[in-house]
Every structure is written in structure tokens, then in C-alpha cells.
């Protein structure tokens, strides 16, 4: 599998303790008793805003020039071998220690686990993996970058989507399929484009 976030073992141990303390407040007993609770894969989280997306499509910029790190790390959590939750942490710039910031029981954890399984089989071990989020549409995407800074992207899911709403596409984008960055940015820009555009002098106003 490609490699994700590199976090010191002692920092992970501290994070595991924090997660364990909070899980008992939000997880139902049947989940807590399902089997061993594991902290699995970790990924650095980056965000892509709509302004940057629109600028990037027109200027042909690389996604690494458009997305920004948000000082968050995503951590997959499994219960008895089944991914059912995820945590988000921040890192101290002084000590490197990770502090738990968010903890969710969410279907997104299972969908992310499916995407990880796909990467295990088909992606190169030399590629670096980040979790890219498009906050405006709650889209979660795996962003792979090789040593030559060439990027590929794979759509995972959107937060809040019910199982019956999931299909082979999200916002018209193919799920669990690798796309080149130009194709991904173009398709995403079309998927989130406003419904109407008004011209006012030299300004362009958008209307949803």
C-alpha cells in the first residue's frame, strides 16, 4: 500500500488513550464489545476550497498548489476488525504530540476502509497518500502523489450520505476509481458549479 502519515509511536499511544476515554461516551455497548478496538491507518488532511478549485481549473495549476493542509490527521478505528469510526487529531508544532480533536461513529469510516483496500491492491507503494476534503460539498478523496509530484485522486464518499443514497458515483464523480488531477479538477468544478451566473459590469456574480 502507499504510505500515509508518519506519526511517532509514542504519540500514537497517547492518542489511543485519548480515543479510548472518549469512545465509551459515544459508542454503543454492542460496538464496544464487538472485539479488539484498533487504531489503524492515519492520513494527513488537506482541504480544497471552491475559490481555489475555480482558479486552478482556469490556470491549469497542480492540485498541490491549490489544496492546503489544515493541521488535522485522520485516523481509522476498527471494532472487531470492522471499521466503524474515525478520529481527527491535531499536532503540536513544538512537541509533535497528537491531540484528539474530533471523534465520529460514521459510515464514512467503512467507505474509507473500502478505498484503502482498493489502494492496497492497485496503488504503488512509493506513492504518498493524503485525505483531501472539499468542505463546500463534504467530499472526501484520497490524493496520491509520487516522487515526481504527479498526482492521482480517488473519490471516497461524502459525509452524511445514507447507505441507500450511495452508488457508483458521488456528485457525478466515479467512486473508487483513480483519476488524473486535471480530469478530477475539471469534473469537480462542473459538479459544484452554481446554477446561474449574473454579470454586473466587470464583475461576475453567482446565484445558487
Amino acid at each position: 500500500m502507499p504510505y500515509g502519515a508518519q506519526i511517532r509511536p509514542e504519540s500514537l499511544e497517547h492518542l489511543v488513550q485519548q480515543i479510548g476515554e472518549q469512545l465509551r461516551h459515544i459508542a454503543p455497548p454492542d460496538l464496544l464489545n464487538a472485539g479488539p478496538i484498533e487504531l489503524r491507518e492515519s492520513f494527513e488532511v488537506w482541504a480544497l476550497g471552491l475559490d481555489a478549485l475555480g482558479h486552478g481549473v482556469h490556470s491549469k495549476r497542480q492540485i498541490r498548489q491549490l489544496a492546503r493542509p489544515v493541521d488535522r490527521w485522520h485516523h481509522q478505528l476498527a471494532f472487531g476488525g470492522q471499521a466503524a469510526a474515525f478520529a481527527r487529531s491535531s499536532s503540536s508544532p513544538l512537541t509533535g504530540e497528537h491531540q484528539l480533536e474530533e471523534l465520529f461513529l460514521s459510515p464514512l469510516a467503512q467507505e474509507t476502509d473500502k478505498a484503502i483496500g482498493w489502494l492496497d491492491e492497485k496503488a504503488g507503494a512509493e506513492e504518498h497518500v493524503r485525505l483531501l476534503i472539499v468542505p463546500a460539498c463534504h467530499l472526501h478523496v484520497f490524493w496520491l502523489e509520487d516522487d515526481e509530484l504527479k498526482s492521482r485522486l480517488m473519490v471516497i464518499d461524502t459525509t452524511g450520505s445514507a447507505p441507500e443514497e450511495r452508488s457508483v458515483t458521488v456528485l457525478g464523480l466515479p467512486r473508487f476509481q483513480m483519476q488524473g488531477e486535471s480530469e478530477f479538477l475539471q469534473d469537480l468544478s462542473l459538479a459544484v458549479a452554481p446554477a446561474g451566473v449574473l454579470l454586473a459590469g466587470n464583475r461576475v456574480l453567482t446565484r445558487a
Side-chain angles (χ1 to χ4, degrees):
M1 176 185 170
Y3 63 94
Q6 305 299 307
I7 301 175
R8 293 184 294 110
E10 56 270 26
S11 185
L12 283 177
E13 290 179 9
H14 179 61
L15 181 60
V16 166
Q17 293 175 358
Q18 298 175 66
I19 292 172
E21 292 172 359
Q22 296 301 319
L23 269 179
R24 58 190 179 91
H25 297 300
I26 68 168
D30 59 333
L31 188 60
L32 293 173
N33 296 327
I37 302 174
E38 304 171 82
L39 178 64
R40 289 187 169 179
E41 299 87 356
S42 297
F43 306 96
E44 187 179 7
V45 179
W46 287 53
L48 177 64
L50 293 188
D51 288 344
L53 171 63
H55 177 69
V57 169
H58 293 293
S59 63
K60 307 297 183 183
R61 294 204 172 195
Q62 293 180 302
I63 196 164
R64 67 178 353 265
Q65 298 172 300
L66 305 172
R68 294 290 180 265
V70 294
D71 188 32
R72 287 292 185 273
W73 280 256
H74 175 100
H75 312 276
Q76 287 285 106
L77 299 172
F79 300 76
Q82 299 298 314
F86 64 88
R88 297 271 167 83
S89 71
S90 61
S91 176
S92 167
L94 298 178
T95 66
E97 288 294 321
H98 278 254
Q99 177 68 37
L100 178 65
E101 300 290 350
E102 302 168 302
L103 184 60
F104 300 95
L105 299 177
S106 170
L108 179 63
Q110 185 176 17
E111 298 306 304
T112 303
D113 190 59
K114 292 178 184 177
I116 292 170
W118 192 98
L119 294 181
D120 282 341
E121 293 183 2
K122 300 185 179 181
E126 74 284 354
E127 292 178 290
H128 179 57
V129 185
R130 302 179 182 95
L131 181 64
L132 180 69
I133 298 177
V134 184
C137 52
H138 310 289
L139 184 68
H140 288 64
V141 180
F142 271 145
W143 168 19
L144 286 75
E145 189 177 57
D146 64 20
D147 292 339
E148 297 179 352
L149 303 183
K150 294 181 180 178
S151 295
R152 301 189 294 163
L153 299 106
M154 183 176 67
V155 171
I156 303 170
D157 205 351
T158 57
T159 54
S161 60
E164 61 272 14
E165 297 173 344
R166 295 193 182 96
S167 64
V168 294
T169 62
V170 172
L171 300 175
L173 302 172
R175 296 177 68 214
F176 306 142
Q177 292 184 31
M178 208 65 78
Q179 290 184 287
E181 60 181 327
S182 295
E183 178 187 10
F184 169 78
L185 291 171
Q186 183 65 43
D187 288 352
L188 179 60
S189 70
L190 294 174
V192 299
V197 176
L198 301 176
L199 298 180
N202 293 325
R203 296 176 298 161
V204 178
L205 308 178
T206 61
R207 177 177 63 195

